[in-house]
Amino acid sequence: MRYRRLGRTGLQVAEIGFGGIPIQRISGEEAAAVINRALELGINFFDTARAYTDSEEKLGAVLRKRRGDVIIATKSMARTREKMAADIRRSLEVMGLEYIDLYQMHNVKDRESLQQVLGAGGALAALREAKKEGLVRHIGVTSHVKETLLDLMKVEDIETVQFPFNPVETNGVQEVLDLAGRTDTGVIVMKPLAGGGFRQAGLALRYILAHPVSVVIPGMDTVEQVEQNAAVGSGPLDLSPAEKKALEEEKAGLGATFCRRCEYCQPCPVGIDIPTVFLLDGYYRRYDLKGWAIQRYNAMKVKPGACKECGACEEKCPYNLPIRTMLKDAVSRLG
């Protein structure tokens, strides 16, 4: 496994890190096997969040036993000093840690939330205090919005930025990378496979790592995924003409309006598993697995027909997707 410097934090992180969203879907025992295999293969950067149900708990159960070998990042949607301080304490308690290497302000997506976290009594104030107390060693931010990232990188306390980047999501990325280089800000890439949209994961990861990023964090919930992704961290990064063509074909198949499975739209008030509907529709449309997709769709406990058109999912979507319209479109095939 190759390692890179995480900006001015000075931390040496594996090129391939571990995204902690998917382990919510598996048991504690299964999660432990996946995490331990990642450690065996040299992965040392693990990212989770307060919002990822039991992800912190599952990661902490394994990683606290290997504390000296790992770099642990988590994050909170808290916007005020009081709520962020409470979330930091809760993360430490749940994970069984004395300190967290990187604590991030989660999904700062607009001018209002930016001003709130940076203002008097905002979340950044709590992170500064936690850093002084030794509870947090470094401070970062995650966002899906280029303009917000550019503003945040001008704040001295913020040492890392985390944002989506993959072969189909490139808008504004170069500008962010250029400023990160000038400010020596660590770059963490999330959604590298566009929420599972890219089936040839190795090609997409190699494409990203050819850029000046610090670490890429695909979500993983099987040992096989860990092994496949970790192999990229020790293999060649240059893509052959044939591989570039294959990546372009996958990119064209995805289009622009698609679900990245970030799961920010969840929970649905009536219980619709929105990301799974779109995942199954993707298998139906892009991978010619129509029968399998329909069978899985029919087994869902709550189908999109139960939608009350409340729009809560669209308000929470960082990509501003027309989710209600997309659900109806998916049902026209799967239903």
Side-chain angles (χ1 to χ4, degrees), residues 229-263:
N229 293 338
V232 175
S234 57
L237 296 182
D238 292 338
L239 297 173
S240 69
E243 289 171 330
K244 289 179 181 178
K245 181 181 178 182
L247 203 55
E248 283 299 317
E249 289 174 351
E250 282 215 77
K251 177 179 173 180
L254 279 171
T257 305
F258 65 94
C259 174
R260 280 76 167 178
R261 296 175 68 201
C262 64
E263 302 186 12

Side-chain angles (χ1 to χ4, degrees), residues 33-275:
V34 171
I35 297 163
N36 278 313
R37 186 58 177 147
L39 290 165
E40 290 169 2
L41 294 174
I43 292 175
N44 71 340
F45 183 86
F46 295 81
D47 176 84
T48 181
R50 287 268 67 234
Y52 300 167
T53 62
D54 61 358
S55 177
E56 281 188 331
E57 180 181 352
K58 287 171 177 171
L59 281 167
V62 177
L63 299 182
R64 60 175 172 256
K65 300 172 185 175
R66 299 280 299 272
R67 194 65 189 94
D69 303 324
V70 296
I71 296 163
I72 300 172
T74 191
K75 46 195 177 287
S76 165
M77 292 284 291
R79 299 297 184 240
T80 67
R81 177 179 178 178
E82 181 180 5
K83 290 182 179 178
M84 178 60 82
D87 271 356
I88 293 169
R89 298 283 182 181
R90 183 60 179 154
S91 291
L92 289 165
E93 178 184 346
V94 168
M95 300 184 82
L97 303 174
E98 294 183 356
Y99 68 90
I100 291 166
D101 299 282
L102 174 64
Y103 212 102
Q104 302 160 100
M105 294 179 286
H106 193 179
N107 194 27
V108 181
K109 63 181 180 179
D110 51 33
R111 179 61 54 180
E112 181 182 356
S113 57
L114 175 69
Q115 292 175 343
Q116 194 174 13
V117 298
L118 297 182
L124 183 58
L127 287 166
R128 286 175 176 143
E129 292 168 3
K131 190 173 179 180
K132 286 181 181 178
E133 295 174 30
L135 303 178
V136 168
R137 295 199 168 174
H138 302 284
I139 299 171
V141 67
T142 81
S143 180
H144 295 72
V145 182
K146 178 196 74 173
E147 291 76 16
T148 301
L149 289 166
L150 295 175
D151 285 340
L152 286 163
M153 277 192 282
K154 298 170 186 174
V155 179
E156 185 177 357
D157 297 276
I158 296 172
E159 301 166 88
T160 68
V161 289
Q162 180 172 317
F163 57 91
F165 174 30
N166 55 65
V168 78
E169 293 183 82
T170 59
N171 185 42
V173 167
Q174 192 57 55
E175 192 173 354
V176 172
L177 293 178
D178 288 345
L179 183 56
R182 294 195 296 272
T183 56
D184 198 17
T185 301
V187 173
I188 304 163
V189 175
M190 61 177 169
K191 308 295 180 290
L193 308 181
F198 285 95
R199 294 189 76 188
Q200 299 182 79
L203 299 186
L205 295 174
R206 286 162 60 194
Y207 167 86
I208 297 164
L209 287 169
H211 294 76
V213 305
S214 305
V215 56
V216 182
I217 53 168
M220 297 177 272
D221 59 7
T222 70
V223 169
E224 291 74 21
Q225 289 172 358
V226 170
E227 292 172 346
Q228 290 168 6
N229 293 338
V232 175
S234 57
L237 296 182
D238 292 338
L239 297 173
S240 69
E243 289 171 330
K244 289 179 181 178
K245 181 181 178 182
L247 203 55
E248 283 299 317
E249 289 174 351
E250 282 215 77
K251 177 179 173 180
L254 279 171
T257 305
F258 65 94
C259 174
R260 280 76 167 178
R261 296 175 68 201
C262 64
E263 302 186 12
Y264 291 163
C265 60
Q266 300 293 88
C268 166
V270 297
I272 302 168
D273 187 344
I274 297 168

Side-chain angles (χ1 to χ4, degrees), residues 6-34:
L6 186 62
R8 62 181 183 274
T9 69
L11 298 169
Q12 293 295 315
V13 294
E15 288 185 344
I16 302 296
F18 190 100
I21 289 180
I23 61 169
Q24 298 172 90
R25 300 193 287 263
I26 59 178
S27 70
E29 184 178 351
E30 291 169 324
V34 171

